[in-house]
Amino acid sequence: MHQGHNIPWDIISTNFRFVSSDTRYTPPFTGLISKERPSAPKEVEHFSKKFINAIRTFSETERRKYPTIFTPIMTGNIFSDTLRERYPRYLNTRNQRIEYWMLPHSLLGLGELADIIKVLLYENEMETLLMLAQHPTIRIAGLCHLHFGYHFGFSRVQESALDAYLFFNCADATGILENGKYSTVKVYYPLLRDLSSPGRYPAQTIPHIQFFEEHSTIIYTDTGSVASQLVHNDYEALHDYLKTLC
């Protein structure tokens, strides 16, 4: 399991077990169920606290690498030409200029900036992100939970990363990763659909689609889905993928 020295994944294996087509449920259920240990609530609460603390510690450590205050730029590019060429779906010469984002924009227009933030997060462009966070004209905090009938704010990066990270690590902890049984869990394909499905302002899917396509995993596209091998066939690559999500 990833970050096993900081996150007590053994609590998951101690308190949950895998069942297949369990007829005690209607319809029959396949997935993880509680072992109903009396100490489970406190242990799971402890796991949650340790998990949250690991995220907080990592974030604070990362933040200390950069200056407290950034001088906002009023003219120029907010990302490099190299980055623009790498992500032509999301980045272009127009939205590369900070002057463009200092103008008023509609709610849906701000979705474009939210996607830029997602790309910068994925590429770990922290200095640019911190500068934008302190910019007097561009309020990126308001883009976190941006929605218009559906959610496309940059918090989708966090949500999708947590979903994938918890699913595959819990599968590993409960012994259903290497044998491929995780693929029979009820939530597996809905998870893949959520992580990789196209839609408006979908930049949060970048690391997931990249991993799934490289390993011929099922992915969802505009024309449908394509199924092939499972992600556990390359454990090292899966570990690198989970590390990317941190």
Side-chain angles (χ1 to χ4, degrees), residues 90-106:
Y90 306 105
L91 311 180
N92 55 57
T93 55
R94 173 180 50 79
N95 63 31
Q96 186 176 21
R97 302 291 298 180
I98 197 165
E99 296 95 323
Y100 176 73
W101 296 112
M102 293 170 65
L103 300 172
H105 289 276
S106 67

Side-chain angles (χ1 to χ4, degrees), residues 159-215:
E159 294 163 6
S160 62
L162 279 173
D163 286 346
Y165 189 85
L166 283 169
F167 179 87
F168 288 113
N169 276 295
C170 286
D172 197 7
T174 53
I176 61 172
L177 182 65
E178 291 189 12
N179 58 22
K181 289 183 179 179
Y182 67 91
S183 65
T184 66
V185 172
K186 183 178 180 180
V187 300
Y188 180 57
Y189 288 104
L191 171 68
L192 292 184
R193 184 182 300 112
D194 185 60
L195 294 177
S196 60
S197 61
R200 203 163 192 181
Y201 311 117
Q204 72 277 356
T205 65
I206 289 173
H208 311 292
I209 289 180
Q210 179 178 321
F211 172 70
F212 296 150
E213 286 186 339
E214 287 179 356
H215 297 84

Side-chain angles (χ1 to χ4, degrees), residues 56-167:
R56 182 178 293 117
T57 299
F58 180 82
S59 298
E60 292 172 350
T61 300
E62 185 69 16
R63 183 62 183 89
R64 285 195 292 269
K65 297 177 182 178
Y66 304 95
T68 302
I69 298 175
F70 283 81
T71 302
I73 63 172
M74 298 298 172
T75 182
N77 294 338
I78 58 174
F79 50 82
S80 66
D81 292 345
T82 301
L83 211 59
R84 187 190 71 220
E85 293 168 1
R86 188 179 304 161
Y87 300 102
R89 176 174 182 177
Y90 306 105
L91 311 180
N92 55 57
T93 55
R94 173 180 50 79
N95 63 31
Q96 186 176 21
R97 302 291 298 180
I98 197 165
E99 296 95 323
Y100 176 73
W101 296 112
M102 293 170 65
L103 300 172
H105 289 276
S106 67
L107 178 62
L108 291 179
L110 290 174
E112 186 178 349
L113 180 55
D115 261 3
I116 292 174
I117 300 301
K118 296 172 191 176
V119 172
L120 295 176
L121 283 168
Y122 176 53
E123 289 290 330
N124 201 33
E125 296 284 339
M126 294 306 300
E127 292 189 0
T128 299
L129 288 165
L130 290 168
M131 182 276 294
L132 289 172
Q134 298 178 18
H135 203 283
T137 305
I138 305 171
R139 305 293 185 180
I140 68 170
L143 307 180
C144 186
H145 302 289
L146 202 62
H147 64 90
F148 188 75
Y150 55 94
H151 176 28
F152 52 88
F154 64 79
S155 65
R156 292 285 287 126
V157 172
Q158 167 193 313
E159 294 163 6
S160 62
L162 279 173
D163 286 346
Y165 189 85
L166 283 169
F167 179 87

Side-chain angles (χ1 to χ4, degrees), residues 213-241:
E213 286 186 339
E214 287 179 356
H215 297 84
S216 303
T217 308
I218 185 169
I219 60 170
Y220 290 83
T221 67
D222 293 317
T223 57
S225 60
V226 180
S228 188
Q229 69 186 44
L230 303 174
V231 299
H232 71 280
N233 291 339
D234 190 340
Y235 189 84
E236 183 176 349
L238 176 60
H239 185 273
D240 289 342
Y241 162 63

